[in-house]
Amino acid sequence: MNNIDQIRQQVRTAYGSAVGKPRGSLTTPALILDLEVARRNIQFMASRFRTMPAKLRPHIKVQKCAELARLQVEAGAIGVCTATVWEAIVMSRSGIQDVLIANEVVGREKIAALAGAAREGHLTVAVDDAGNAADLSDAARAAGSRLDVLIEVDVGMGRGGVRSAEQALGLARSLEKLPGLRLRGVQGYEGHCMLEPDRAERIRKARAAMDQLGTAVQALKKAGLNCEVVSGGGTGTYDITGANPLVTEVQAGSYVFMDNFHGNLVPGFSPALTVLGTVAIRQGNTIVLDCGRKSIGIDFVLPTLVEYPFYQARAFAEEHALFDVDERCRLTVGGTAELIPGYAPTTVNLYDAYHVVENGLVTDIWPIIPRGPGHGGLA
Ligand SMILES: Cc1ncc(COP(=O)(O)O)c(C=O)c1O
């Protein structure tokens, strides 16, 4: 049994007693995945991609769950992308055949793990630095494997990526001399566009970002270098970037759950991920649930109560979620309520497992691997 199977089994054993229970009766805080809603989100996205030139490569840093990734691939996704090498190893060993680490992998141990995993599965990694590329090449040679690479180009976000088409070309030329690496194309993630509330402005910004990526594509192609993959996009821009003829694949991930952050910006999807909390305190018009910041992601936008979407949260302390309510609120001490996370990826990362719910009952436990920061016991 490998490490991943062991973790999977431990988690299933630890949470298995919840199977068969109604969604409102779990030990709280509990992470709930409404499978029917997630399936609808996956099908809706798959149907949108059937009419666009680009393919879908969902970003699984959002959900860290092989069971969900398999549903996405069955619905037509060409593979997945991940944020970390550990997520990539889990996906690859869980049977996902085409995995892109949409980030730079740096550090001897991580690079060795990546090169080793590339012996068993098809892994692609983003690079933006010649020294890092040389390290990847050395590790691939030592492991007897081959790594595919995409050159990351900064398209306005100012995070990873070479800063110009000339730099992309220079890096591509140095890759040619590195055994064990194969250049497949470019990646440009327009993360700075995702928060843009004005749809027309988001379209303008996302197109400008892809035009910037296009200059790097042209430079590589003009020099006779391979650029068959052009990867970018997220949930906020999937239909803009996916419709762009330059782009071959879109890295949207959050659509599977639709947290409050994305739900306000992207129509057509519904919230599939909730946190169940218990009302621990009710004093006057203040209710306090047992699911504070250690239980739910509050980045960008605050969580809301499913049943009472009109109440604004007042604060999220470590273990306390505070809402100011009024006479319409029927919640009393000991009652439970579900919350839609502000941001799903930072919520999921706090949990061992999803309580998979169908028709109101828990039907399965799906492990979150690797949970937390880093390797989660996989290194
Ligand atoms: C490189 C990269 N690609 C794609 C995404 C898209 O994810 P989402 O669909 O959650 O917006 C992200 C999100 O952080 C990312 O970092």
Side-chain angles (χ1 to χ4, degrees):
M1 195 167 17
N2 68 36
N3 253 0
I4 297 169
D5 293 334
Q6 258 162 8
I7 296 170
R8 202 165 263 143
Q9 214 168 71
Q10 277 163 10
V11 169
R12 283 186 191 279
T13 307
Y15 292 85
S17 63
V19 173
K21 289 188 178 167
R23 65 191 294 165
S25 71
L26 306 172
T27 304
T28 61
L31 190 65
I32 293 180
L33 165 61
D34 190 316
L35 189 55
E36 289 143 320
V37 179
R39 280 187 194 280
R40 279 203 298 277
N41 289 343
I42 290 170
Q43 288 307 330
F44 179 71
M45 191 58 119
S47 73
R48 294 302 315 275
F49 270 88
R50 282 196 281 277
T51 66
M52 290 193 279
K55 305 274 186 245
L56 177 64
R57 179 187 288 283
H59 207 314
I60 65 78
K61 57 131 190 170
V62 177
Q63 29 98 342
K64 293 179 172 236
C65 175
E67 286 82 351
L68 269 172
R70 280 193 214 106
L71 291 182
Q72 291 169 305
V73 170
E74 278 163 25
I78 56 170
V80 299
C81 56
T82 73
T84 72
V85 65
W86 313 114
E87 291 167 5
I89 290 171
V90 173
M91 288 296 136
S92 183
R93 291 210 193 127
S94 304
I96 304 296
Q97 283 173 11
D98 187 349
V99 180
L100 162 66
I101 301 146
N103 263 328
E104 289 68 23
V105 173
V106 177
R108 192 193 307 226
E109 202 184 38
K110 291 183 198 170
I111 290 176
L114 172 63
R119 274 198 302 263
E120 292 150 41
H122 179 203
L123 297 175
T124 306
V125 61
V127 291
D128 72 353
D129 177 82
N132 176 229
D135 291 343
L136 292 169
S137 166
D138 288 346
R141 265 196 308 176
S145 63
R146 192 200 65 204
L147 283 166
D148 282 358
V149 295
L150 300 184
I151 292 178
E152 183 168 24
V153 180
D154 175 35
V155 292
M157 191 186 181
R159 189 175 68 179
V162 295
R163 271 18 187 191
S164 68
E166 294 71 40
Q167 284 176 8
L169 185 57
L171 182 54
R173 291 216 188 285
S174 69
L175 289 173
E176 279 188 304
K177 300 181 201 107
L178 294 173
L181 302 187
R182 181 174 72 155
L183 175 64
R184 296 289 309 287
V186 295
Q187 163 177 306
Y189 174 57
E190 72 283 25
H192 59 295
C193 306
M194 305 293 158
L195 278 169
E196 176 53 61
D198 182 318
R199 167 90 183 157
E201 184 60 6
R202 200 170 344 137
I203 292 173
R204 193 194 63 71
K205 279 184 171 172
R207 285 191 184 146
M210 289 306 120
D211 287 349
Q212 218 171 317
L213 190 57
T215 62
V217 174
Q218 272 167 13
L220 297 193
K221 287 192 170 162
K222 206 168 146 203
L225 296 161
N226 186 26
C227 196
E228 67 200 281
V229 177
V230 180
S231 195
T235 298
T237 60
Y238 81 89
D239 55 340
I240 309 161
T241 299
N244 191 321
L246 175 83
V247 176
T248 64
E249 55 179 57
V250 169
Q251 303 179 351
S254 289
Y255 74 91
V256 70
F257 291 152
M258 288 321 273
D259 46 29
N260 276 345
F261 168 53
H262 290 89
N264 292 336
L265 300 172
V266 189
F269 303 90
S270 307
L273 182 81
T274 50
V275 168
L276 182 74
T278 299
V279 179
I281 297 161
R282 180 161 186 172
Q283 292 292 344
N285 281 342
T286 297
I287 60 165
V288 182
L289 295 108
D290 62 350
C291 48
R293 282 204 307 272
K294 285 183 172 171
S295 320
I296 194 159
I298 62 166
D299 325 42
F300 309 117
V301 181
L302 288 180
T304 47
L305 291 160
V306 173
E307 216 186 327
Y308 301 98
F310 38 84
Y311 295 138
Q312 292 274 325
R314 173 159 37 108
F316 279 80
E318 277 176 65
E319 302 289 358
H320 298 110
L322 281 74
F323 286 83
D324 290 321
V325 299
D326 54 24
E327 64 292 342
R328 289 171 295 176
C329 181
R330 293 182 307 277
L331 290 169
T332 52
V333 171
T336 59
E338 287 181 42
L339 287 82
I340 303 170
Y343 195 55
T346 52
T347 303
V348 166
N349 207 37
L350 300 167
Y351 287 87
D352 298 319
Y354 297 100
H355 296 83
V356 179
V357 165
E358 292 166 278
N359 290 319
L361 296 180
V362 177
T363 55
D364 209 348
I365 298 296
W366 286 359
I368 292 158
I369 313 175
R371 70 153 288 182
H375 59 76
L378 299 172

